[in-house]
Amino acid sequence: MLLKNRLRHWLLAAATLAAAPAMANNPVAPSDSATIKQIYDNALTSTKSYEDLRYLTKNIGARLSGSPQAAAAVEWGRQVMNKMGLDRVYVQEVMVPHWVRGDKEIGRVLSGQVGSTDVNIAALGSSVGTGESGLTAEVVEVHNFEELEKLGKKKVKGKIVFFNRAFDNTHVQTMAAYSGAVDQRGGGPVAAAKLGAVAVIVRSMANEIQDVPHTGNTRYQDGVDKIPAAAISTKGAELLSKQLKNDPNLKFYMRMTCENLPEVLSYNVIGELKGTEKPNEIIVVGGHLDSWDLGEGAHDDGTGVVQSMEVLRLFKDLGIKPKRTIRAVLYMNEENGLRGGRKYAEEAKAKGENHIAAIESDAGGFTPRGFGMEATPAQIQKALTWKPLLTPYGLHEIGAGHGGADIGPLKGQGTVALIGFKPDSQRYFDYHHTDIDTFETVNRREMQLGAASMASLVYLISQYGL
Amino acid sequence: MLLKNRLRHWLLAAATLAAAPAMANNPVAPSDSATIKQIYDNALTSTKSYEDLRYLTKNIGARLSGSPQAAAAVEWGRQVMNKMGLDRVYVQEVMVPHWVRGDKEIGRVLSGQVGSTDVNIAALGSSVGTGESGLTAEVVEVHNFEELEKLGKKKVKGKIVFFNRAFDNTHVQTMAAYSGAVDQRGGGPVAAAKLGAVAVIVRSMANEIQDVPHTGNTRYQDGVDKIPAAAISTKGAELLSKQLKNDPNLKFYMRMTCENLPEVLSYNVIGELKGTEKPNEIIVVGGHLDSWDLGEGAHDDGTGVVQSMEVLRLFKDLGIKPKRTIRAVLYMNEENGLRGGRKYAEEAKAKGENHIAAIESDAGGFTPRGFGMEATPAQIQKALTWKPLLTPYGLHEIGAGHGGADIGPLKGQGTVALIGFKPDSQRYFDYHHTDIDTFETVNRREMQLGAASMASLVYLISQYGL
């Protein structure tokens, strides 16, 4: 059954493709293949974007919204694009949350049987602190919200709820494993607080058993107590779970001095190449400037930022005059607010701008596999007719899929197609939101191939619309 | 023109595929999709192959042919497969070269202008040494054999020839860049010696500018002086080339105590699952046990070895009874002699064995992209009919391509299809033949996906032949 459906689906796609070159509304010029080759050749031999990434990660570093480093990243992005000789570089004001981590967190399992064991934890973004002296409580382990509900107030009140549902490693796409686990991180504190818990510990969002905790944003709800929430490394989660089995009454000590400060003025940074024939049809290509405060924000999302700027550089340096307008948008505050993405969409709407496509790179600087599209069937079919131009570069996976967080708010404005750049996903959650998301984990060529892939799709859309 | 050809090629493939399900000679069962899913699920959640790789790389380590570690790897491979409960585990005797590196090499640029600068070099495999005291000579830089010929005896005699042709980074497949440069490493010493050179330095086979030299085998020729040959790191090559421009009379000092020792008895290690319906039709899946003496031989080819054994484990643990016989072959001496590959083919021929397919994994433990086939058009078409079963797992690139070195000698024996497992190639030459080809550079999931990909193709061939 599964096979039959897959076959049918695939054959439909193949038949559509076979028919495509005859479609009158979508001519491709023989020179398109040559232009795309030029784009890849240039991207793979220029060191520009890689050196840009080095600067952003090594000289600026982690850049959480509201931090001085986020401000530095804004000014850096503006300067880099200013030097490119674009038609326009500008910023968009946006107020952003300002959360600070405070001291390095302490997490400690206190067992009557095996004594005290330190484990690596990191406060979740937006979390309140524990107070200077920390808190100590018994722990109840759950794997989902149903289990938690079943425990009820009696068994949860006064305790720390430990959400320990692991990634399902059978998912070939690691994003699917993430989607299947991340509800614990976002919804854990509210659900636990409703039952009287004093804090939450969430198993890190990772495929591997590692010693490094993965932070990420969590949510509170008006009218529900705000309780401290931390990610625990997967190794720590395994240890805690094991000790709990032998000693259900063990206690956990956690200390976090994180806090939410007043909002701060920040900016999206935008660079533009004006279209020669249809300047009012706008194509966005973007990533987010902010990162978590751990590591260097290399794959998340330094690579998306430098790839987006690289698209414009490639057009400039190769002398390609786009028929439609292309904008690189460096969004602020994807990680803990999405204020930049919302602001960009609001202004676009207010100005009556016509966005025809928005491409986001926020899944790491890994080898390209394709593009996922939130678009009409006709738009997807049109993109599929370009497949023969793109598969020589490893872009096989083109079809319906997830666009991206920052471009999401554009949805519904006219006929804009939201397109997520889709790199290989296997290594992403080894680094995501951690201390070890550093420049060294980015392979130069993989990142450059991503930039070239985005530039090639932008080129085709700029030539033929979508 | 390029585009037209690509389109035509692609449409042909699409049309063939569209026709495929109707082909009477290639039914696929609905359960095949479920079996392949089981294979991937098991491979991605078992730690067996990853822990095997850890043992091979960390507890045995580098294992050049003739070394005690190579002998350890043979015994380890035998024991691992013995524990699997296969139908048969056996070894094949094979005499192998025994080359040893000796002391860590010294490479030093001696410039009258900037003084002495040490650079990282590594003797090429099979190279003779320089003698205990080393050698010092002027350097001539060339980029290909034509340049060398033009220089002639007069300008080459008594000098060190420095082959400095870099990888062409515009190749999307790094294997193509390697193919375009590796003639310098293999053929450099003979060509230079014919013109009276005293030694050869070859730019390392790498995409990046790195400080680590990449070794690899070189060749001598009867009747031509055997002169010492070393790889220089790409960083060292850039430095040497730059200094040569300012100071063409600079000298280079090199010291290498490598030597060729008498041949040693070694072994291929083979594990077999007997086919239930056509036991005389044999499918080989293999990698090579030996590695260079630098690093840990993780991607080259520890991953190929554990993936090949993992194919058998998956069949055993999932209770899949193959209709045709499957053999995992752990070849000895791929790196500097190919004696194991030749021996296996010789014995197969002598015994009149009927090999229908041989799959080799020797391109690193990276995310799978597909399979390259040295096979008849009909065999390739048959494999293409399985594409709908394989593309959900990222295996898009199935078609004519390179089989592999170790399976190469089987060519022409009956109708055997030689199939190269094709992982993503971007990072391979960051590690290839170096100190830094270590366990840590292997991503567990990428390696496991490779094993599952190989097992899935082996499964389909075992069911339907080729």
Side-chain angles (χ1 to χ4, degrees):
Chain A
M1 191 62 170
L2 188 55
L3 170 68
K4 263 193 174 164
N5 281 341
R6 275 210 187 117
L7 268 175
R8 197 178 306 134
H9 177 83
W10 193 92
L11 291 171
L12 192 69
T16 311
L17 271 159
M23 285 168 70
N25 66 341
N26 187 44
V28 288
S31 63
D32 290 336
S33 171
T35 300
I36 289 171
K37 172 89 171 95
Q38 282 184 319
I39 288 171
Y40 276 90
D41 285 357
N42 189 309
L44 284 168
T45 51
S46 161
T47 57
K48 176 71 166 68
S49 62
Y50 192 58
E51 292 308 318
D52 282 348
L53 181 67
R54 189 194 303 273
Y55 191 96
L56 178 62
T57 54
K58 293 297 179 192
N59 295 23
I60 297 177
R63 47 200 179 277
L64 187 58
S65 291
S67 67
Q69 290 78 14
V74 166
E75 181 55 18
W76 165 83
R78 204 183 61 79
Q79 290 185 16
V80 169
M81 290 205 280
N82 260 339
K83 276 187 209 138
M84 285 185 185
L86 304 174
D87 296 322
R88 191 178 168 211
V89 176
Y90 59 108
V91 297
Q92 256 175 353
E93 292 190 354
V94 53
M95 293 301 294
V96 297
H98 186 197
W99 178 83
V100 291
R101 184 170 301 278
D103 303 337
K104 169 121 186 66
E105 300 84 345
I106 301 172
R108 190 168 292 154
V109 186
L110 304 166
S111 163
Q113 294 178 12
V114 296
S116 156
T117 314
D118 277 16
V119 290
N120 278 326
I121 65 168
L124 293 180
S126 306
S127 177
V128 297
T130 57
E132 284 290 333
S133 53
L135 67 81
T136 305
E138 289 189 0
V139 178
V140 285
E141 176 178 340
V142 298
H143 300 86
N144 52 57
F145 296 112
E146 295 67 40
E147 270 184 41
L148 179 66
E149 289 305 316
K150 272 189 196 156
L151 287 177
K153 275 192 184 172
K154 203 171 157 189
K155 289 184 178 164
V156 171
K157 195 172 161 63
K159 294 186 181 160
I160 296 171
V161 174
F162 168 34
F163 288 92
N164 193 30
R165 181 159 87 261
F167 266 30
D168 178 354
N169 267 316
T170 66
H171 287 293
V172 173
Q173 307 292 339
T174 62
M175 299 297 171
Y178 180 65
S179 296
V182 74
D183 59 337
Q184 302 171 100
R185 193 187 76 200
V190 168
K194 282 180 177 172
L195 298 175
V198 293
V200 157
I201 309 171
V202 181
R203 183 188 179 98
S204 282
M205 300 293 131
N207 292 93
E208 303 301 317
I209 303 299
Q210 299 173 303
D211 218 1
V212 61
H214 293 234
T215 191
N217 212 35
T218 192
R219 291 186 303 272
Y220 291 122
Q221 193 177 298
D222 286 343
V224 179
D225 278 353
K226 295 182 176 180
I227 59 174
I232 183 171
S233 75
T234 47
K235 191 174 169 185
E238 295 285 292
L239 181 146
L240 177 56
S241 181
K242 195 174 163 190
Q243 291 204 8
L244 271 173
K245 281 184 185 62
N246 297 323
D247 182 4
N249 300 318
L250 65 73
K251 292 189 171 170
F252 193 86
Y253 169 72
M254 58 196 284
R255 179 181 186 276
M256 316 196 306
T257 60
C258 47
E259 57 183 323
N260 289 286
L261 303 177
E263 295 197 348
V264 170
L265 177 63
S266 188
Y267 305 89
N268 294 328
V269 184
I270 302 167
E272 184 177 289
L273 276 181
K274 207 88 177 165
T276 54
E277 294 186 10
K278 302 190 174 185
N280 293 332
E281 296 191 10
I282 299 165
I283 304 160
V284 158
V285 58
H288 63 86
L289 262 183
D290 64 307
S291 76
W292 281 104
D293 58 325
L294 305 174
E296 298 169 0
H299 282 289
D300 190 11
D301 183 27
T303 51
V305 164
V306 301
Q307 286 169 329
S308 298
M309 296 195 295
E310 179 76 347
V311 169
L312 297 186
R313 187 198 66 78
L314 286 163
F315 273 76
K316 283 295 286 184
D317 284 5
L318 293 170
I320 305 170
K321 307 274 186 211
K323 291 184 182 171
R324 291 160 174 87
T325 292
I326 305 171
R327 277 190 197 157
V329 182
L330 316 184
Y331 294 96
M332 181 50 64
N333 187 229
E334 190 273 345
E335 294 294 2
N336 58 338
L338 212 65
R339 302 285 183 87
R342 292 204 185 104
K343 183 59 175 273
Y344 181 85
E346 271 167 31
E347 285 209 6
K349 195 171 185 180
K351 292 177 187 165
E353 289 179 342
N354 177 20
H355 284 75
I356 63 166
I359 301 170
E360 180 165 329
S361 170
D362 186 19
F366 305 101
T367 287
R369 306 295 305 223
F371 296 98
M373 301 178 68
E374 291 179 46
T376 65
Q379 288 171 326
I380 294 173
Q381 287 309 321
K382 184 155 182 177
L384 281 172
T385 62
W386 298 327
K387 228 179 151 179
L389 291 163
L390 301 175
T391 51
Y393 302 97
L395 296 164
H396 299 277
E397 298 175 10
I398 298 174
H402 178 58
D406 278 313
I407 59 176
L410 281 172
K411 193 164 189 167
Q413 291 195 19
T415 58
V416 63
L418 306 182
I419 304 174
F421 167 60
K422 193 176 167 189
D424 194 86
S425 72
Q426 300 311 319
R427 288 174 283 149
Y428 192 54
F429 293 99
D430 294 355
Y431 312 126
H432 188 242
H433 296 182
T434 70
D435 267 347
I436 55 175
D437 182 10
T438 60
F439 179 71
E440 290 73 17
T441 66
V442 178
N443 175 274
R444 176 183 61 80
R445 289 176 54 87
E446 293 189 348
M447 191 269 283
Q448 289 170 333
L449 285 171
S453 302
M454 291 157 63
S456 297
L457 182 61
V458 166
Y459 166 73
L460 289 166
I461 299 174
S462 76
Q463 285 290 100
Y464 303 111
L466 196 64
Chain B
M1 188 65 171
L2 188 57
L3 170 66
K4 262 191 175 167
N5 281 341
R6 275 209 186 116
L7 268 176
R8 198 178 305 136
H9 176 84
W10 193 91
L11 292 171
L12 193 68
T16 311
L17 270 158
M23 284 168 70
N25 66 342
N26 188 43
V28 288
S31 61
D32 290 335
S33 171
T35 301
I36 289 171
K37 172 91 172 94
Q38 282 184 319
I39 288 172
Y40 276 90
D41 284 357
N42 189 308
L44 284 167
T45 50
S46 161
T47 58
K48 176 70 167 68
S49 61
Y50 192 59
E51 292 308 318
D52 282 348
L53 182 67
R54 189 195 303 273
Y55 191 96
L56 178 61
T57 53
K58 292 297 178 193
N59 295 23
I60 296 177
R63 47 199 180 275
L64 187 58
S65 291
S67 68
Q69 290 78 13
V74 166
E75 182 55 18
W76 166 83
R78 204 182 62 79
Q79 290 185 16
V80 170
M81 290 206 279
N82 260 338
K83 277 187 209 138
M84 284 185 185
L86 305 175
D87 296 320
R88 193 179 168 211
V89 176
Y90 59 109
V91 298
Q92 256 175 353
E93 291 191 353
V94 53
M95 293 300 295
V96 297
H98 187 197
W99 177 83
V100 291
R101 183 170 300 279
D103 303 338
K104 170 122 185 66
E105 300 84 344
I106 301 172
R108 190 168 291 153
V109 186
L110 304 166
S111 162
Q113 294 178 11
V114 294
S116 156
T117 314
D118 278 15
V119 289
N120 279 327
I121 65 168
L124 293 181
S126 306
S127 177
V128 297
T130 58
E132 284 290 334
S133 54
L135 68 80
T136 305
E138 288 189 358
V139 177
V140 285
E141 176 177 342
V142 298
H143 300 86
N144 53 55
F145 296 113
E146 295 67 41
E147 269 184 39
L148 180 66
E149 290 304 317
K150 273 190 194 155
L151 287 176
K153 276 192 183 172
K154 204 171 155 188
K155 289 184 178 163
V156 171
K157 196 173 160 60
K159 293 185 181 161
I160 296 170
V161 174
F162 168 35
F163 288 93
N164 193 29
R165 182 159 86 261
F167 267 30
D168 178 354
N169 267 317
T170 65
H171 287 294
V172 172
Q173 306 293 338
T174 62
M175 298 297 172
Y178 180 64
S179 297
V182 74
D183 59 337
Q184 302 171 99
R185 192 188 76 200
V190 167
K194 282 180 176 171
L195 298 175
V198 295
V200 157
I201 308 170
V202 181
R203 183 188 179 98
S204 282
M205 300 293 131
N207 292 93
E208 302 301 316
I209 303 300
Q210 298 174 304
D211 217 2
V212 61
H214 294 234
T215 192
N217 213 35
T218 191
R219 290 186 304 271
Y220 292 121
Q221 192 177 299
D222 286 344
V224 180
D225 279 352
K226 294 181 176 180
I227 59 174
I232 184 171
S233 74
T234 47
K235 191 173 170 187
E238 295 284 294
L239 181 146
L240 176 57
S241 181
K242 195 175 165 190
Q243 291 204 8
L244 270 172
K245 281 186 183 62
N246 297 325
D247 182 5
N249 300 317
L250 64 73
K251 291 189 171 170
F252 193 87
Y253 170 72
M254 58 197 282
R255 180 180 185 277
M256 316 198 304
T257 61
C258 47
E259 57 182 323
N260 289 287
L261 302 176
E263 296 196 347
V264 170
L265 178 63
S266 189
Y267 305 89
N268 293 327
V269 184
I270 303 168
E272 185 177 289
L273 276 181
K274 207 86 176 165
T276 54
E277 294 186 10
K278 301 191 176 186
N280 293 332
E281 295 191 10
I282 300 164
I283 304 159
V284 158
V285 57
H288 64 86
L289 262 183
D290 64 306
S291 76
W292 280 106
D293 58 325
L294 305 174
E296 299 169 358
H299 283 289
D300 190 11
D301 183 28
T303 50
V305 164
V306 300
Q307 286 169 328
S308 299
M309 296 194 296
E310 179 75 348
V311 170
L312 297 186
R313 186 197 69 78
L314 287 163
F315 273 75
K316 283 294 288 183
D317 284 6
L318 293 170
I320 306 171
K321 306 274 185 211
K323 292 183 181 172
R324 291 160 175 86
T325 293
I326 305 171
R327 278 190 198 155
V329 182
L330 316 185
Y331 294 96
M332 181 50 64
N333 188 227
E334 191 271 345
E335 294 294 2
N336 59 338
L338 212 66
R339 301 285 184 87
R342 291 203 186 105
K343 183 58 175 274
Y344 182 85
E346 270 167 32
E347 285 208 6
K349 195 172 186 179
K351 292 177 187 165
E353 289 179 342
N354 177 21
H355 284 76
I356 64 166
I359 302 171
E360 181 166 328
S361 170
D362 187 17
F366 304 101
T367 287
R369 307 294 307 224
F371 295 98
M373 301 178 70
E374 293 179 44
T376 64
Q379 287 171 327
I380 294 174
Q381 288 309 322
K382 185 155 181 176
L384 282 172
T385 63
W386 297 328
K387 228 178 150 179
L389 291 163
L390 301 175
T391 51
Y393 303 97
L395 297 165
H396 300 277
E397 299 175 10
I398 298 174
H402 178 59
D406 278 313
I407 59 176
L410 281 172
K411 193 165 190 165
Q413 291 194 19
T415 57
V416 62
L418 306 182
I419 304 174
F421 167 61
K422 195 177 167 189
D424 195 87
S425 73
Q426 299 310 320
R427 288 174 282 150
Y428 192 53
F429 293 100
D430 294 355
Y431 312 125
H432 187 242
H433 296 182
T434 70
D435 268 347
I436 55 175
D437 181 10
T438 60
F439 179 72
E440 289 73 18
T441 66
V442 178
N443 175 274
R444 176 183 62 79
R445 289 177 54 87
E446 293 189 348
M447 192 269 285
Q448 289 171 333
L449 285 171
S453 302
M454 291 158 63
S456 297
L457 182 60
V458 167
Y459 166 73
L460 290 166
I461 299 174
S462 77
Q463 285 290 100
Y464 303 111
L466 196 64

